[in-house]
Amino acid sequence: MEALLPVLKSHPGTSVLACSLVFRIVHRLLLRLPMPKVVRQDDFRCWKWKNLSVSIVHSLLTGAWAITCAVVWPETLSNIISYHTPLSYLLICVSTGYFVQDAGDIILTGHGRRSWEFLLHHAMVISCFLYTLYTQLYVAGAVIVLFVEVNSVPLHLRLMLTLAGAQSSSLYYYNKFVNLFTYVIFRLGTQFYLTWFIVHNYSQLDNGGYFLTCMIVLNIMMIIYFYRLLRADFFPQSKSYMGQNGMHSNNTRKFISD
C-alpha cells in the first residue's frame, strides 16, 4: 500500500477514473442478478433498482472502510486538516470514483431532471473530494464524511423494498428502525460534527467558505429528507401523501442518500 500511495497522489484524476470504471463493471455484473417482477415491468423502477444495487455495494464497502480507518487510526477524528494514511487516501479515490460513475449513470440514462437534487449532492461531494485528493488536505475529514454510508445501507434497502412493493414486509418494518437510528447517529451526527469543526476552525481552513457553504446546503437537504422520512415511515398520512414522497409508480424518486 505504501508503494501505491505515490502513484495515487501523482495521478489522482486517473485514479478516480479507474475506480469509476471498476464501479461500472460492478454495475454490469449486478445486471445478472434477478429482480422482482413488479420492478421489471416499469422502466424507471428497473433502472433505479440497478442503480441502487451499485449504491449498496459502495455503501457497504466505504462505510465499513471509513469506520475502520477511524478505529485503527484515531487521529483521523481529531486532525481533520492534515492527517491521512495510504488506506484513507485510497478510500477517497474509490468513493469519488463511485460518485462520478453514479452521476454519469443518472445523466446518460436521461434521469437527470428527475434526480436533480441527487446530482446537486454528487456535484458538491465530487468537488470537495477532488480538492482533497489534489491538495492532500482534509483527507481525514472526507473519511469522516463517509460515515454517512453506514446509514446509506438501510436507506437504500428501504428504497429497494419500496420499489418492490414490500412496505408491509417484516424486513421493511425492522429496517425502518435501523434506518432511523443510523440516520441520526451516522448521517446527522456526522454532518453536524463536521459543520461544528469548520465553524470552530474557520480561520485556519483554506477555502473554508466553500466547505462551509457545502455543509450548510447538505445539512438543509438532510434535515428535509429526515422530516419526509419520519412522516412516510412513522406518521403516514395517506396514499396520496406516499405518492408525493416518491413511493409510487413512475414518480418514485431517489432522494438524497450519499
Side-chain angles (χ1 to χ4, degrees):
M1 184 57 65
E2 293 288 346
L4 178 62
L5 186 60
V7 177
L8 296 176
K9 288 184 174 180
S10 60
H11 304 285
T14 303
S15 301
V16 168
L17 290 177
C19 293
S20 180
L21 178 60
V22 170
F23 276 106
R24 197 60 194 171
I25 294 172
V26 171
H27 180 276
R28 291 292 183 184
L29 293 175
L30 291 174
L31 293 179
R32 301 180 181 181
L33 297 179
M35 63 180 67
K37 183 178 179 180
V38 66
V39 174
R40 294 197 307 269
Q41 292 174 342
D42 182 88
D43 289 340
F44 180 71
R45 285 175 180 247
C46 185
W47 165 78
K48 187 171 176 179
W49 181 278
K50 299 171 186 175
N51 183 272
L52 286 169
S53 298
V54 181
S55 297
I56 282 188
V57 171
H58 168 258
S59 297
L60 287 169
L61 174 64
T62 59
W65 193 338
I67 296 297
T68 300
C69 286
V71 171
V72 177
W73 299 285
E75 192 175 349
T76 299
L77 300 175
S78 57
N79 190 357
I80 290 179
I81 299 175
S82 60
Y83 182 76
H84 69 273
T85 66
L87 273 177
S88 62
Y89 191 90
L90 177 60
L91 169 59
I92 307 308
C93 285
V94 170
S95 191
T96 307
Y98 159 75
F99 286 116
V100 170
Q101 184 277 148
D102 198 51
D105 182 55
I106 293 172
I107 295 171
L108 296 177
T109 54
H111 297 103
R113 180 177 298 180
R114 189 173 289 185
S115 304
W116 67 269
E117 53 196 289
F118 199 66
L119 288 176
L120 174 61
H121 168 270
H122 277 22
M124 289 187 289
V125 172
I126 290 171
S127 63
C128 291
F129 279 14
L130 284 177
Y131 178 89
T132 291
L133 293 174
Y134 275 97
T135 64
Q136 299 170 33
L137 296 173
Y138 312 120
V139 176
V143 170
I144 295 173
V145 166
L146 290 173
F147 284 7
V148 303
E149 295 301 329
V150 175
N151 167 249
S152 292
V153 176
L155 191 60
H156 293 325
L157 179 58
R158 171 188 178 273
L159 291 172
M160 295 181 78
L161 291 171
T162 299
L163 288 174
Q167 295 95 320
S168 60
S169 67
S170 58
L171 178 57
Y172 188 96
Y173 176 79
Y174 290 113
N175 182 73
K176 72 179 182 180
F177 292 104
V178 176
N179 189 25
L180 177 65
F181 175 78
T182 56
Y183 200 105
V184 173
I185 300 300
F186 291 99
R187 190 171 293 275
L188 295 181
T190 296
Q191 292 287 135
F192 295 155
Y193 171 71
L194 288 174
T195 302
W196 170 84
F197 181 88
I198 293 173
V199 172
H200 188 70
N201 299 277
Y202 186 81
S203 61
Q204 306 173 37
L205 303 180
D206 293 333
N207 299 295
Y210 177 73
F211 291 115
L212 182 59
T213 300
C214 287
M215 290 304 299
I216 291 174
V217 173
L218 289 173
N219 288 344
I220 292 172
M221 296 170 78
M222 296 307 165
I223 291 172
I224 291 175
Y225 183 71
F226 186 57
Y227 169 74
R228 293 160 73 178
L229 187 66
L230 286 175
R231 292 194 63 180
D233 279 355
F234 296 94
F235 306 100
Q237 302 294 305
S238 64
K239 291 185 177 180
S240 61
Y241 172 76
M242 291 174 69
Q244 295 172 11
N245 249 321
M247 298 175 66
H248 281 304
S249 190
N250 292 335
N251 291 324
T252 304
R253 300 175 61 194
K254 182 176 179 181
F255 295 125
I256 303 300
S257 56
D258 299 287

mmCIF file of all heavy atoms in Angstrom, residues 208-249:
data_model
loop_
_atom_site.group_PDB
_atom_site.id
_atom_site.type_symbol
_atom_site.label_atom_id
_atom_site.label_comp_id
_atom_site.label_asym_id
_atom_site.label_seq_id
_atom_site.Cartn_x
_atom_site.Cartn_y
_atom_site.Cartn_z
ATOM 1 N N GLY A 208 -12.292 27.702 3.422
ATOM 2 C CA GLY A 208 -13.291 27.360 4.424
ATOM 3 C C GLY A 208 -14.691 27.797 4.046
ATOM 4 O O GLY A 208 -15.668 27.118 4.371
ATOM 5 N N GLY A 209 -14.798 28.926 3.341
ATOM 6 C CA GLY A 209 -16.111 29.430 2.944
ATOM 7 C C GLY A 209 -16.845 28.463 2.039
ATOM 8 O O GLY A 209 -18.057 28.254 2.178
ATOM 9 N N TYR A 210 -16.111 27.867 1.099
ATOM 10 C CA TYR A 210 -16.733 26.915 0.174
ATOM 11 C C TYR A 210 -17.202 25.670 0.918
ATOM 12 O O TYR A 210 -18.323 25.193 0.719
ATOM 13 C CB TYR A 210 -15.759 26.527 -0.931
ATOM 14 C CG TYR A 210 -16.319 25.493 -1.871
ATOM 15 C CD1 TYR A 210 -17.301 25.837 -2.800
ATOM 16 C CD2 TYR A 210 -15.891 24.162 -1.821
ATOM 17 C CE1 TYR A 210 -17.836 24.897 -3.655
ATOM 18 C CE2 TYR A 210 -16.427 23.212 -2.672
ATOM 19 C CZ TYR A 210 -17.394 23.589 -3.594
ATOM 20 O OH TYR A 210 -17.941 22.640 -4.434
ATOM 21 N N PHE A 211 -16.335 25.143 1.778
ATOM 22 C CA PHE A 211 -16.700 23.931 2.522
ATOM 23 C C PHE A 211 -17.876 24.186 3.461
ATOM 24 O O PHE A 211 -18.761 23.331 3.600
ATOM 25 C CB PHE A 211 -15.496 23.402 3.304
ATOM 26 C CG PHE A 211 -14.415 22.836 2.437
ATOM 27 C CD1 PHE A 211 -13.168 23.428 2.374
ATOM 28 C CD2 PHE A 211 -14.646 21.712 1.659
ATOM 29 C CE1 PHE A 211 -12.174 22.909 1.559
ATOM 30 C CE2 PHE A 211 -13.666 21.174 0.839
ATOM 31 C CZ PHE A 211 -12.416 21.777 0.796
ATOM 32 N N LEU A 212 -17.887 25.350 4.095
ATOM 33 C CA LEU A 212 -18.993 25.671 4.996
ATOM 34 C C LEU A 212 -20.300 25.802 4.215
ATOM 35 O O LEU A 212 -21.349 25.326 4.663
ATOM 36 C CB LEU A 212 -18.702 26.970 5.744
ATOM 37 C CG LEU A 212 -19.772 27.411 6.759
ATOM 38 C CD1 LEU A 212 -19.977 26.341 7.814
ATOM 39 C CD2 LEU A 212 -19.364 28.740 7.408
ATOM 40 N N THR A 213 -20.232 26.419 3.037
ATOM 41 C CA THR A 213 -21.432 26.554 2.204
ATOM 42 C C THR A 213 -21.969 25.182 1.802
ATOM 43 O O THR A 213 -23.180 24.926 1.876
ATOM 44 C CB THR A 213 -21.122 27.375 0.940
ATOM 45 O OG1 THR A 213 -20.671 28.684 1.318
ATOM 46 C CG2 THR A 213 -22.356 27.501 0.051
ATOM 47 N N CYS A 214 -21.067 24.293 1.385
ATOM 48 C CA CYS A 214 -21.481 22.937 1.005
ATOM 49 C C CYS A 214 -22.117 22.212 2.189
ATOM 50 O O CYS A 214 -23.162 21.553 2.039
ATOM 51 C CB CYS A 214 -20.280 22.133 0.498
ATOM 52 S SG CYS A 214 -19.690 22.620 -1.141
ATOM 53 N N MET A 215 -21.527 22.353 3.370
ATOM 54 C CA MET A 215 -22.062 21.673 4.544
ATOM 55 C C MET A 215 -23.442 22.206 4.907
ATOM 56 O O MET A 215 -24.343 21.438 5.271
ATOM 57 C CB MET A 215 -21.105 21.830 5.733
ATOM 58 C CG MET A 215 -19.812 21.054 5.602
ATOM 59 S SD MET A 215 -20.040 19.272 5.317
ATOM 60 C CE MET A 215 -20.925 18.809 6.798
ATOM 61 N N ILE A 216 -23.625 23.507 4.808
ATOM 62 C CA ILE A 216 -24.929 24.088 5.139
ATOM 63 C C ILE A 216 -25.991 23.597 4.179
ATOM 64 O O ILE A 216 -27.102 23.226 4.588
ATOM 65 C CB ILE A 216 -24.842 25.632 5.127
ATOM 66 C CG1 ILE A 216 -23.990 26.121 6.309
ATOM 67 C CG2 ILE A 216 -26.240 26.244 5.190
ATOM 68 C CD1 ILE A 216 -23.733 27.610 6.296
ATOM 69 N N VAL A 217 -25.654 23.578 2.887
ATOM 70 C CA VAL A 217 -26.616 23.092 1.887
ATOM 71 C C VAL A 217 -26.949 21.627 2.145
ATOM 72 O O VAL A 217 -28.124 21.225 2.128
ATOM 73 C CB VAL A 217 -26.053 23.266 0.457
ATOM 74 C CG1 VAL A 217 -26.973 22.592 -0.564
ATOM 75 C CG2 VAL A 217 -25.905 24.743 0.123
ATOM 76 N N LEU A 218 -25.936 20.814 2.395
ATOM 77 C CA LEU A 218 -26.163 19.395 2.673
ATOM 78 C C LEU A 218 -26.965 19.204 3.959
ATOM 79 O O LEU A 218 -27.840 18.327 4.033
ATOM 80 C CB LEU A 218 -24.831 18.659 2.767
ATOM 81 C CG LEU A 218 -24.068 18.475 1.451
ATOM 82 C CD1 LEU A 218 -22.691 17.890 1.714
ATOM 83 C CD2 LEU A 218 -24.848 17.566 0.498
ATOM 84 N N ASN A 219 -26.684 20.017 4.989
ATOM 85 C CA ASN A 219 -27.435 19.922 6.239
ATOM 86 C C ASN A 219 -28.920 20.184 6.008
ATOM 87 O O ASN A 219 -29.785 19.470 6.538
ATOM 88 C CB ASN A 219 -26.894 20.924 7.265
ATOM 89 C CG ASN A 219 -25.533 20.530 7.808
ATOM 90 O OD1 ASN A 219 -25.109 19.387 7.665
ATOM 91 N ND2 ASN A 219 -24.842 21.476 8.420
ATOM 92 N N ILE A 220 -29.213 21.205 5.222
ATOM 93 C CA ILE A 220 -30.614 21.533 4.927
ATOM 94 C C ILE A 220 -31.288 20.378 4.195
ATOM 95 O O ILE A 220 -32.417 19.977 4.521
ATOM 96 C CB ILE A 220 -30.694 22.827 4.089
ATOM 97 C CG1 ILE A 220 -30.238 24.024 4.932
ATOM 98 C CG2 ILE A 220 -32.121 23.054 3.571
ATOM 99 C CD1 ILE A 220 -30.105 25.312 4.140
ATOM 100 N N MET A 221 -30.585 19.825 3.213
ATOM 101 C CA MET A 221 -31.140 18.707 2.448
ATOM 102 C C MET A 221 -31.387 17.495 3.349
ATOM 103 O O MET A 221 -32.423 16.827 3.241
ATOM 104 C CB MET A 221 -30.186 18.347 1.297
ATOM 105 C CG MET A 221 -30.022 19.445 0.280
ATOM 106 S SD MET A 221 -28.688 19.145 -0.903
ATOM 107 C CE MET A 221 -29.461 17.982 -1.991
ATOM 108 N N MET A 222 -30.429 17.201 4.242
ATOM 109 C CA MET A 222 -30.572 16.035 5.113
ATOM 110 C C MET A 222 -31.709 16.204 6.119
ATOM 111 O O MET A 222 -32.420 15.247 6.431
ATOM 112 C CB MET A 222 -29.261 15.773 5.862
ATOM 113 C CG MET A 222 -28.086 15.410 4.982
ATOM 114 S SD MET A 222 -28.459 14.030 3.869
ATOM 115 C CE MET A 222 -27.111 14.175 2.703
ATOM 116 N N ILE A 223 -31.887 17.419 6.626
ATOM 117 C CA ILE A 223 -32.976 17.669 7.579
ATOM 118 C C ILE A 223 -34.329 17.559 6.887
ATOM 119 O O ILE A 223 -35.282 16.974 7.437
ATOM 120 C CB ILE A 223 -32.805 19.051 8.231
ATOM 121 C CG1 ILE A 223 -31.583 19.045 9.151
ATOM 122 C CG2 ILE A 223 -34.061 19.437 9.023
ATOM 123 C CD1 ILE A 223 -31.217 20.408 9.706
ATOM 124 N N ILE A 224 -34.432 18.088 5.676
ATOM 125 C CA ILE A 224 -35.683 17.987 4.918
ATOM 126 C C ILE A 224 -36.016 16.524 4.643
ATOM 127 O O ILE A 224 -37.156 16.077 4.825
ATOM 128 C CB ILE A 224 -35.582 18.778 3.598
ATOM 129 C CG1 ILE A 224 -35.536 20.277 3.887
ATOM 130 C CG2 ILE A 224 -36.762 18.445 2.674
ATOM 131 C CD1 ILE A 224 -35.304 21.129 2.655
ATOM 132 N N TYR A 225 -35.005 15.766 4.222
ATOM 133 C CA TYR A 225 -35.264 14.359 3.937
ATOM 134 C C TYR A 225 -35.618 13.592 5.207
ATOM 135 O O TYR A 225 -36.471 12.706 5.190
ATOM 136 C CB TYR A 225 -34.063 13.702 3.261
ATOM 137 C CG TYR A 225 -34.363 12.278 2.896
ATOM 138 C CD1 TYR A 225 -35.246 11.987 1.861
ATOM 139 C CD2 TYR A 225 -33.823 11.217 3.620
ATOM 140 C CE1 TYR A 225 -35.571 10.671 1.557
ATOM 141 C CE2 TYR A 225 -34.142 9.911 3.311
ATOM 142 C CZ TYR A 225 -35.019 9.648 2.277
ATOM 143 O OH TYR A 225 -35.345 8.351 1.992
ATOM 144 N N PHE A 226 -34.978 13.941 6.312
ATOM 145 C CA PHE A 226 -35.283 13.280 7.585
ATOM 146 C C PHE A 226 -36.742 13.518 7.972
ATOM 147 O O PHE A 226 -37.443 12.596 8.422
ATOM 148 C CB PHE A 226 -34.355 13.821 8.677
ATOM 149 C CG PHE A 226 -34.500 13.109 9.998
ATOM 150 C CD1 PHE A 226 -34.312 11.743 10.096
ATOM 151 C CD2 PHE A 226 -34.808 13.821 11.150
ATOM 152 C CE1 PHE A 226 -34.432 11.079 11.316
ATOM 153 C CE2 PHE A 226 -34.935 13.169 12.366
ATOM 154 C CZ PHE A 226 -34.747 11.800 12.441
ATOM 155 N N TYR A 227 -37.208 14.730 7.764
ATOM 156 C CA TYR A 227 -38.610 15.057 8.037
ATOM 157 C C TYR A 227 -39.535 14.228 7.157
ATOM 158 O O TYR A 227 -40.522 13.643 7.626
ATOM 159 C CB TYR A 227 -38.835 16.551 7.800
ATOM 160 C CG TYR A 227 -40.283 16.968 7.781
ATOM 161 C CD1 TYR A 227 -41.030 17.042 8.961
ATOM 162 C CD2 TYR A 227 -40.921 17.292 6.575
ATOM 163 C CE1 TYR A 227 -42.356 17.425 8.944
ATOM 164 C CE2 TYR A 227 -42.248 17.672 6.556
ATOM 165 C CZ TYR A 227 -42.963 17.739 7.739
ATOM 166 O OH TYR A 227 -44.279 18.107 7.711
ATOM 167 N N ARG A 228 -39.200 14.136 5.883
ATOM 168 C CA ARG A 228 -40.017 13.358 4.957
ATOM 169 C C ARG A 228 -39.981 11.869 5.295
ATOM 170 O O ARG A 228 -40.982 11.155 5.181
ATOM 171 C CB ARG A 228 -39.525 13.602 3.523
ATOM 172 C CG ARG A 228 -39.776 15.029 3.049
ATOM 173 C CD ARG A 228 -38.885 15.407 1.886
ATOM 174 N NE ARG A 228 -39.268 14.763 0.656
ATOM 175 C CZ ARG A 228 -38.663 14.963 -0.502
ATOM 176 N NH1 ARG A 228 -37.640 15.806 -0.568
ATOM 177 N NH2 ARG A 228 -39.053 14.347 -1.584
ATOM 178 N N LEU A 229 -38.814 11.421 5.740
ATOM 179 C CA LEU A 229 -38.654 10.015 6.115
ATOM 180 C C LEU A 229 -39.512 9.678 7.327
ATOM 181 O O LEU A 229 -40.193 8.645 7.361
ATOM 182 C CB LEU A 229 -37.180 9.741 6.418
ATOM 183 C CG LEU A 229 -36.763 8.288 6.664
ATOM 184 C CD1 LEU A 229 -36.928 7.483 5.378
ATOM 185 C CD2 LEU A 229 -35.322 8.240 7.148
ATOM 186 N N LEU A 230 -39.502 10.556 8.329
ATOM 187 C CA LEU A 230 -40.311 10.338 9.524
ATOM 188 C C LEU A 230 -41.794 10.291 9.189
ATOM 189 O O LEU A 230 -42.538 9.426 9.672
ATOM 190 C CB LEU A 230 -40.048 11.446 10.549
ATOM 191 C CG LEU A 230 -38.709 11.399 11.301
ATOM 192 C CD1 LEU A 230 -38.571 12.632 12.189
ATOM 193 C CD2 LEU A 230 -38.608 10.126 12.130
ATOM 194 N N ARG A 231 -42.244 11.216 8.363
ATOM 195 C CA ARG A 231 -43.667 11.256 8.000
ATOM 196 C C ARG A 231 -44.068 10.030 7.201
ATOM 197 O O ARG A 231 -45.164 9.491 7.389
ATOM 198 C CB ARG A 231 -43.974 12.530 7.209
ATOM 199 C CG ARG A 231 -43.866 13.799 8.022
ATOM 200 C CD ARG A 231 -44.499 14.982 7.326
ATOM 201 N NE ARG A 231 -45.930 14.792 7.145
ATOM 202 C CZ ARG A 231 -46.723 15.676 6.563
ATOM 203 N NH1 ARG A 231 -46.222 16.814 6.082
ATOM 204 N NH2 ARG A 231 -48.016 15.446 6.428
ATOM 205 N N ALA A 232 -43.183 9.565 6.333
ATOM 206 C CA ALA A 232 -43.523 8.428 5.476
ATOM 207 C C ALA A 232 -43.548 7.110 6.254
ATOM 208 O O ALA A 232 -44.446 6.287 6.061
ATOM 209 C CB ALA A 232 -42.527 8.334 4.318
ATOM 210 N N ASP A 233 -42.568 6.915 7.154
ATOM 211 C CA ASP A 233 -42.428 5.616 7.824
ATOM 212 C C ASP A 233 -43.078 5.544 9.198
ATOM 213 O O ASP A 233 -43.450 4.460 9.654
ATOM 214 C CB ASP A 233 -40.946 5.249 7.953
ATOM 215 C CG ASP A 233 -40.382 4.653 6.675
ATOM 216 O OD1 ASP A 233 -41.173 4.435 5.731
ATOM 217 O OD2 ASP A 233 -39.166 4.414 6.609
ATOM 218 N N PHE A 234 -43.210 6.687 9.873
ATOM 219 C CA PHE A 234 -43.714 6.647 11.245
ATOM 220 C C PHE A 234 -45.008 7.437 11.458
ATOM 221 O O PHE A 234 -45.735 7.188 12.413
ATOM 222 C CB PHE A 234 -42.637 7.158 12.208
ATOM 223 C CG PHE A 234 -41.410 6.300 12.239
ATOM 224 C CD1 PHE A 234 -40.315 6.586 11.441
ATOM 225 C CD2 PHE A 234 -41.355 5.175 13.050
ATOM 226 C CE1 PHE A 234 -39.180 5.783 11.456
ATOM 227 C CE2 PHE A 234 -40.232 4.361 13.078
ATOM 228 C CZ PHE A 234 -39.142 4.661 12.271
ATOM 229 N N PHE A 235 -45.288 8.375 10.565
ATOM 230 C CA PHE A 235 -46.526 9.148 10.663
ATOM 231 C C PHE A 235 -47.180 9.248 9.284
ATOM 232 O O PHE A 235 -47.364 10.347 8.751
ATOM 233 C CB PHE A 235 -46.246 10.550 11.211
ATOM 234 C CG PHE A 235 -45.503 10.544 12.508
ATOM 235 C CD1 PHE A 235 -44.126 10.774 12.538
ATOM 236 C CD2 PHE A 235 -46.164 10.293 13.703
ATOM 237 C CE1 PHE A 235 -43.432 10.762 13.734
ATOM 238 C CE2 PHE A 235 -45.470 10.278 14.912
ATOM 239 C CZ PHE A 235 -44.109 10.507 14.926
ATOM 240 N N PRO A 236 -47.509 8.095 8.695
ATOM 241 C CA PRO A 236 -48.083 8.108 7.336
ATOM 242 C C PRO A 236 -49.411 8.855 7.313
ATOM 243 O O PRO A 236 -50.244 8.707 8.207
ATOM 244 C CB PRO A 236 -48.266 6.626 7.013
ATOM 245 C CG PRO A 236 -48.358 5.952 8.339
ATOM 246 C CD PRO A 236 -47.457 6.730 9.259
ATOM 247 N N GLN A 237 -49.595 9.638 6.253
ATOM 248 C CA GLN A 237 -50.794 10.441 6.118
ATOM 249 C C GLN A 237 -51.867 9.730 5.297
ATOM 250 O O GLN A 237 -52.950 9.474 5.745
ATOM 251 C CB GLN A 237 -50.443 11.786 5.450
ATOM 252 C CG GLN A 237 -49.391 12.571 6.215
ATOM 253 C CD GLN A 237 -49.892 13.019 7.569
ATOM 254 O OE1 GLN A 237 -50.932 13.666 7.657
ATOM 255 N NE2 GLN A 237 -49.161 12.686 8.619
ATOM 256 N N SER A 238 -51.482 9.419 4.079
ATOM 257 C CA SER A 238 -52.438 8.798 3.165
ATOM 258 C C SER A 238 -51.686 8.279 1.967
ATOM 259 O O SER A 238 -50.502 8.536 1.787
ATOM 260 C CB SER A 238 -53.487 9.821 2.702
ATOM 261 O OG SER A 238 -52.872 10.853 1.948
ATOM 262 N N LYS A 239 -52.367 7.558 1.092
ATOM 263 C CA LYS A 239 -51.743 7.057 -0.128
ATOM 264 C C LYS A 239 -51.300 8.198 -1.021
ATOM 265 O O LYS A 239 -50.288 8.118 -1.702
ATOM 266 C CB LYS A 239 -52.695 6.129 -0.883
ATOM 267 C CG LYS A 239 -52.934 4.803 -0.158
ATOM 268 C CD LYS A 239 -53.782 3.882 -0.997
ATOM 269 C CE LYS A 239 -53.972 2.521 -0.306
ATOM 270 N NZ LYS A 239 -54.791 1.605 -1.111
ATOM 271 N N SER A 240 -52.079 9.277 -1.026
ATOM 272 C CA SER A 240 -51.710 10.406 -1.863
ATOM 273 C C SER A 240 -50.424 11.040 -1.366
ATOM 274 O O SER A 240 -49.572 11.472 -2.135
ATOM 275 C CB SER A 240 -52.822 11.459 -1.873
ATOM 276 O OG SER A 240 -53.044 11.946 -0.558
ATOM 277 N N TYR A 241 -50.262 11.078 -0.007
ATOM 278 C CA TYR A 241 -49.031 11.624 0.534
ATOM 279 C C TYR A 241 -47.840 10.738 0.181
ATOM 280 O O TYR A 241 -46.758 11.209 -0.145
ATOM 281 C CB TYR A 241 -49.115 11.761 2.057
ATOM 282 C CG TYR A 241 -47.796 12.146 2.659
ATOM 283 C CD1 TYR A 241 -47.324 13.452 2.566
ATOM 284 C CD2 TYR A 241 -46.986 11.187 3.277
ATOM 285 C CE1 TYR A 241 -46.099 13.802 3.084
ATOM 286 C CE2 TYR A 241 -45.750 11.537 3.791
ATOM 287 C CZ TYR A 241 -45.323 12.850 3.701
ATOM 288 O OH TYR A 241 -44.102 13.184 4.206
ATOM 289 N N MET A 242 -48.056 9.412 0.236
ATOM 290 C CA MET A 242 -46.984 8.493 -0.126
ATOM 291 C C MET A 242 -46.555 8.722 -1.562
ATOM 292 O O MET A 242 -45.385 8.625 -1.903
ATOM 293 C CB MET A 242 -47.432 7.052 0.081
ATOM 294 C CG MET A 242 -47.607 6.698 1.561
ATOM 295 S SD MET A 242 -48.287 5.051 1.772
ATOM 296 C CE MET A 242 -46.912 4.053 1.232
ATOM 297 N N GLY A 243 -47.500 9.052 -2.412
ATOM 298 C CA GLY A 243 -47.151 9.346 -3.788
ATOM 299 C C GLY A 243 -46.271 10.572 -3.876
ATOM 300 O O GLY A 243 -45.321 10.630 -4.637
ATOM 301 N N GLN A 244 -46.579 11.601 -3.032
ATOM 302 C CA GLN A 244 -45.759 12.793 -3.030
ATOM 303 C C GLN A 244 -44.362 12.497 -2.531
ATOM 304 O O GLN A 244 -43.400 13.167 -2.876
ATOM 305 C CB GLN A 244 -46.407 13.860 -2.139
ATOM 306 C CG GLN A 244 -47.733 14.351 -2.664
ATOM 307 C CD GLN A 244 -48.425 15.263 -1.656
ATOM 308 O OE1 GLN A 244 -47.828 15.680 -0.676
ATOM 309 N NE2 GLN A 244 -49.686 15.543 -1.893
ATOM 310 N N ASN A 245 -44.247 11.488 -1.683
ATOM 311 C CA ASN A 245 -42.946 11.134 -1.129
ATOM 312 C C ASN A 245 -42.123 10.290 -2.071
ATOM 313 O O ASN A 245 -41.070 9.795 -1.706
ATOM 314 C CB ASN A 245 -43.135 10.357 0.176
ATOM 315 C CG ASN A 245 -42.683 11.183 1.356
ATOM 316 O OD1 ASN A 245 -41.681 11.886 1.274
ATOM 317 N ND2 ASN A 245 -43.422 11.116 2.434
ATOM 318 N N GLY A 246 -42.622 10.074 -3.276
ATOM 319 C CA GLY A 246 -41.849 9.311 -4.231
ATOM 320 C C GLY A 246 -41.904 7.838 -3.986
ATOM 321 O O GLY A 246 -40.920 7.144 -4.151
ATOM 322 N N MET A 247 -43.096 7.319 -3.613
ATOM 323 C CA MET A 247 -43.177 5.910 -3.255
ATOM 324 C C MET A 247 -44.145 5.141 -4.142
ATOM 325 O O MET A 247 -44.563 4.049 -3.814
ATOM 326 C CB MET A 247 -43.600 5.771 -1.788
ATOM 327 C CG MET A 247 -42.595 6.381 -0.823
ATOM 328 S SD MET A 247 -43.147 6.345 0.875
ATOM 329 C CE MET A 247 -43.159 4.593 1.183
ATOM 330 N N HIS A 248 -44.541 5.709 -5.251
ATOM 331 C CA HIS A 248 -45.469 5.022 -6.125
ATOM 332 C C HIS A 248 -45.127 5.226 -7.597
ATOM 333 O O HIS A 248 -44.691 6.292 -8.001
ATOM 334 C CB HIS A 248 -46.899 5.533 -5.906
ATOM 335 C CG HIS A 248 -47.558 4.944 -4.696
ATOM 336 N ND1 HIS A 248 -47.685 3.605 -4.513
ATOM 337 C CD2 HIS A 248 -48.110 5.535 -3.614
ATOM 338 C CE1 HIS A 248 -48.310 3.380 -3.366
ATOM 339 N NE2 HIS A 248 -48.556 4.548 -2.798
ATOM 340 N N SER A 249 -45.351 4.209 -8.371
ATOM 341 C CA SER A 249 -45.334 4.253 -9.830
ATOM 342 C C SER A 249 -44.109 4.954 -10.378
ATOM 343 O O SER A 249 -43.013 4.870 -9.862
ATOM 344 C CB SER A 249 -46.602 4.946 -10.337
ATOM 345 O OG SER A 249 -46.715 4.798 -11.731
#
